[in-house]
Amino acid sequence: METADLMARARAGDGDAFRELTEPHRRELQVHCYRMLGSLHDAEDALQNTLLAAWQGLDRFEGRASIRTWLYRIATNQCLSTLRSASRRSAKEWDMPHIEPPEPSSLGEIVWLEPYPDALLEGAMNAPPGPEARYEQTEAISLAFMTALQVLPARQRAVLILREVLGYPAAEVAEMLDCTVEAVTSALKRARAALRSRLPAGAQGPVPSTPNSPAEQALVTKFVRVYQSGDVAALVALLTDDVRLSMPPIPLEYHGRDVVGRFFATIFGAGREYHLVPTRANGQLAFGAYGRFGGDGIRHGAGLLVLSVTGNRISALTRFDNDVLPWFGLPHALPG
């Protein structure tokens, strides 16, 4: 009765009633748009377009599905429209002057993936997934999972998220996407096969560490100590044998402890010193990195480092550029 009353008031032009109807779903819709688009900026734009379309289309809401499902339908189609119209973004050049990186192991396919601040996840995972969900909500926002998602064609991506992350039945997904159940089943089969080829067997990727657990705190202490001291050998000892280093939007990738060690030997060369400020991104450990690169004593931003942890070792490091630091409440520079 309360929802019906809010809907009636919203249809009569009551903006406060509309906000009361949609606000409980706002955070989870932003996460959904982020999963679809891989960009926090694009996700926020898609969310705003979703709410605008919902406000303008209230008269077309028939009540056959819940408000939440109706909003997910609008958001998904907004994201699909964004993906259809988006031009391919070009890779970015190496952006640290006076540092020449070693030859990369490969060039990454996905160069425009952005990190997602854990602070924005608060309240986004409150709604339990449907009974057909196969992935944990938090694990399905890890960088490994997000990278694999971005390789999928847009419609397969939408089907996989709606079916296996959110747990919507095939019939509801077909209605959301204006297609048949058979088309949904076929798209899901292809998406599953593509993900299996890119993620560890039976898993979405490295299991996120438990925030503030003793094991995580021990790893943080070790990592900060060796990174800030520039101890390459000690840093390499914290890595798995198959560790991967990537740095979107720069396409350079490094695979394996030896090659990653050579990369950090270059970064730490010439007596460069770094300071790390802990934060969290995509349910994972993260650090704002700051280095002294001139004679002014100021520690300038050197990007955001996000760690993927397997057991008690680091299995992946992803470095994002300085533009993302303010999203995590971090400044572009620190005083000396």
Side-chain angles (χ1 to χ4, degrees):
M1 291 297 294
E2 182 180 358
T3 299
D5 177 62
L6 287 172
M7 179 60 72
R9 287 163 48 201
R11 281 175 167 158
D14 187 335
D16 290 337
F18 176 76
R19 280 187 289 274
E20 194 170 342
L21 275 173
T22 57
E23 190 62 29
H25 311 295
R26 185 185 184 94
R27 284 288 180 90
E28 62 173 307
L29 287 169
Q30 186 187 55
V31 171
H32 176 60
C33 293
Y34 172 71
R35 287 188 176 114
M36 283 290 298
L37 302 173
S39 161
L40 180 57
H41 277 129
D42 291 349
E44 182 58 29
D45 287 345
L47 173 62
Q48 295 305 321
N49 290 337
T50 294
L51 296 174
L52 178 60
W55 172 249
Q56 294 173 339
L58 278 175
D59 287 342
R60 295 190 295 276
F61 176 65
E62 299 175 355
R64 291 182 299 170
S66 67
I67 288 288
R68 178 175 181 262
T69 296
W70 181 62
L71 290 171
Y72 266 106
R73 175 177 183 160
I74 297 172
T76 301
N77 284 286
Q78 287 287 340
C79 291
L80 289 173
S81 178
T82 297
L83 291 168
R84 281 193 298 269
S85 62
S87 58
R88 183 177 175 84
R89 289 168 169 169
S90 59
K92 185 177 177 181
E93 295 290 330
W94 175 255
D95 60 354
M96 297 183 72
H98 313 303
I99 300 177
E100 186 65 30
E103 189 70 20
S105 304
S106 66
L107 298 179
E109 293 179 76
I110 306 301
V111 296
W112 276 99
L113 180 64
E114 294 177 342
Y116 196 91
D118 273 23
L120 297 183
L121 292 175
E122 295 177 10
M125 309 296 185
N126 290 344
E132 299 185 45
R134 295 178 58 178
Y135 293 98
E136 292 289 338
Q137 291 284 297
T138 51
E139 292 174 346
I141 203 169
S142 70
L143 288 180
F145 189 82
M146 287 297 304
T147 300
L149 275 183
Q150 303 314 302
V151 178
L152 296 177
R155 207 163 182 84
Q156 289 183 31
R157 193 184 312 173
V159 168
L160 186 130
I161 293 169
L162 291 170
R163 292 280 286 119
E164 309 233 303
V165 177
L166 297 171
Y168 279 108
E172 283 194 72
V173 174
E175 186 171 350
M176 287 181 183
L177 301 178
D178 292 320
C179 65
T180 65
V181 171
E182 291 74 18
V184 167
T185 302
S186 176
L188 181 58
K189 182 178 179 180
R190 294 195 298 273
R192 282 174 175 170
L195 253 66
R196 278 197 300 269
S197 70
R198 293 179 173 275
L199 295 175
Q204 297 90 301
V207 177
S209 53
T210 302
N212 300 315
S213 67
E216 180 182 279
Q217 289 304 307
L219 182 60
V220 167
T221 299
K222 291 177 185 176
F223 181 76
V224 170
R225 183 178 68 248
V226 302
Y227 201 98
Q228 292 186 163
S229 66
D231 189 336
V232 176
L235 175 60
V236 168
L238 297 178
L239 310 178
T240 60
D241 291 340
D242 59 350
V243 65
R244 298 174 71 92
L245 169 67
S246 57
M247 49 193 79
I250 300 168
L252 308 182
E253 289 191 351
Y254 297 87
H255 310 158
R257 294 172 75 182
D258 291 343
V259 179
V260 171
R262 286 199 295 274
F263 174 84
F264 280 109
T266 302
I267 294 297
F268 296 148
R272 299 183 191 93
E273 296 180 356
Y274 295 87
H275 179 76
L276 299 181
V277 179
T279 183
R280 294 192 71 85
N282 295 77
Q284 300 171 220
L285 288 171
F287 300 88
Y290 298 85
R292 288 192 178 93
F293 305 122
D296 56 7
I298 296 175
R299 292 177 286 194
H300 298 275
L304 181 84
L305 282 173
V306 184
L307 310 187
S308 299
V309 178
T310 300
N312 61 352
R313 290 192 178 185
I314 299 164
S315 55
L317 302 99
T318 308
R319 181 260 182 186
F320 296 96
D321 66 22
N322 294 337
D323 292 346
V324 309
L325 292 174
W327 307 352
F328 296 83
L330 299 173
H332 284 295
L334 296 174

